[in-house]
């Protein structure tokens, strides 16, 4: 890898993976499909709240509890446990966004080191990227089990930096979530925001160093971008 290219650390859920197909799983389980965004937002909220309070639970455990709570309010769900299992079993089968394969291959061909860091499970990341034929283009698939701290806690990013053996200034986090971009920036990493929706970036968060609407566009921008102060 060229010394002036940062190591790229990718968020997974919604950044690489398209979670929309889970709506079908919700329906099959007797849950309203429109509850999918609220459920996922609740998982992130509760996992982060546990981290802030000094506790920890796995993504799967928090996600399951959220589904059980939703199922308790739905008359069409006779077996909440089975419904939760059905939804969660769909996570490893999610597709990647259409722009991801070309973008990942372009970045890898350009000489970037690539890794993933998720609040979910590294095994789920591997399953998704295996199906997309992209696993081998990443040198590491990481989660927050070891630090027992969900992103955006600084310990989560520090864990990735230790495994990848790079300083924070030599890494760039790529995420669709502004809270993840903000957290990585506060931990000293460079950041790239994928703006997949029309929603604006919140002014309350630290801005991303690079913004793009797709991974191929991000690849183009990173090949000509130079961070303030010189190479990372």
């Amino acid at each position: 890898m060229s010394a002036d290219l940062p190591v790229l650390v990718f968020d997974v859920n919604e950044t690489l993976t398209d979670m929309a197909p889970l709506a079908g799983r919700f329906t099959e389980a007797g849950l309203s499909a429109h509850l999918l965004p609220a459920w996922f937002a609740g998982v992130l909220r509760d996992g982060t709240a546990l981290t802030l309070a000094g506790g920890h639970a796995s993504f799967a455990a928090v996600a399951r509890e959220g589904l059980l709570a939703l199922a308790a309010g739905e008359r069409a769900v006779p077996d909440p446990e089975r419904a939760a299992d059905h939804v969660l079993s769909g996570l490893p089968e999610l597709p990647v966004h259409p722009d991801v394969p070309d973008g990942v291959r372009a970045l890898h061909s350009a000489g970037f080191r690539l890794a993933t860091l998720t609040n979910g499970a590294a095994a789920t990341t591997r399953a998704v990227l295996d199906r997309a034929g992209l696993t081998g283009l990443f040198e590491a698939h990481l989660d927050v089990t070891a630090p027992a701290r969900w992103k955006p806690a600084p310990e989560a990013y520090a864990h990735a930096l230790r495994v990848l053996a790079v300083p924070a200034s030599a890494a760039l986090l790529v995420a669709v979530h502004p809270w993840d971009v903000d957290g990585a920036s506060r931990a000293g990493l460079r950041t790239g925001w994928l703006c997949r929706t029309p929603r604006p970036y919140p002014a309350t968060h630290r801005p991303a160093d690079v913004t793009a609407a797709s991974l191929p566009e991000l690849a183009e921008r990173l090949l000509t971008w130079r961070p303030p102060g010189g190479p990372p």
Side-chain angles (χ1 to χ4, degrees):
M1 183 191 78
S2 173
D4 63 348
L5 295 180
V7 177
L8 302 184
V9 182
F10 286 83
D11 173 52
V12 178
N13 290 325
E14 295 189 313
T15 297
L16 297 179
T17 60
D18 180 1
M19 299 188 71
L22 278 185
R25 293 249 173 187
F26 267 62
T27 300
E28 292 164 359
L31 294 164
S32 299
H34 75 269
L35 292 174
L36 171 58
W39 165 73
F40 184 61
V43 173
L44 296 176
R45 177 200 64 214
D46 293 348
T48 302
L50 280 171
T51 291
L52 288 171
H56 178 71
S58 70
F59 182 93
V62 177
R64 184 180 183 80
E65 292 298 328
L67 288 166
L68 292 176
L70 290 176
E74 296 282 328
R75 294 182 179 179
V77 184
D79 188 341
E81 297 280 349
R82 185 173 180 179
D85 287 342
H86 182 67
V87 173
L88 293 178
S89 66
L91 289 173
E93 299 178 7
L94 288 175
V96 296
H97 288 287
D99 64 294
V100 167
D102 286 346
V104 167
R105 292 188 180 104
L107 289 164
H108 183 267
S109 296
F112 289 94
R113 292 171 60 192
L114 310 179
T116 59
L117 176 63
T118 179
N119 282 333
T124 300
T125 299
R126 291 190 192 95
V128 169
L129 295 179
D130 274 346
R131 295 175 64 249
L134 300 173
T135 309
L137 302 183
F138 293 82
E139 67 176 73
H141 296 294
L142 309 173
D143 56 34
V144 297
T145 301
R149 304 279 289 173
W150 284 41
K151 295 184 294 174
E155 295 89 347
Y157 306 106
H159 168 64
L161 297 173
R162 282 193 298 271
V163 173
L164 297 169
V166 294
S169 60
L172 185 147
L173 178 96
V174 179
V176 75
H177 305 289
W179 57 261
D180 205 356
V181 171
D182 179 83
S185 177
R186 294 178 190 278
L189 285 73
R190 312 289 188 179
T191 55
W193 180 49
L194 283 180
C195 50
R196 295 192 182 280
T197 72
R199 290 193 292 270
Y201 192 90
T204 53
H205 291 43
R206 286 192 177 186
D209 293 297
V210 183
T211 297
S214 69
L215 273 189
E217 180 183 338
L218 182 71
E220 291 179 6
R221 296 196 174 194
L222 286 177
L223 285 173
T224 57
W225 173 74
R226 290 296 178 269

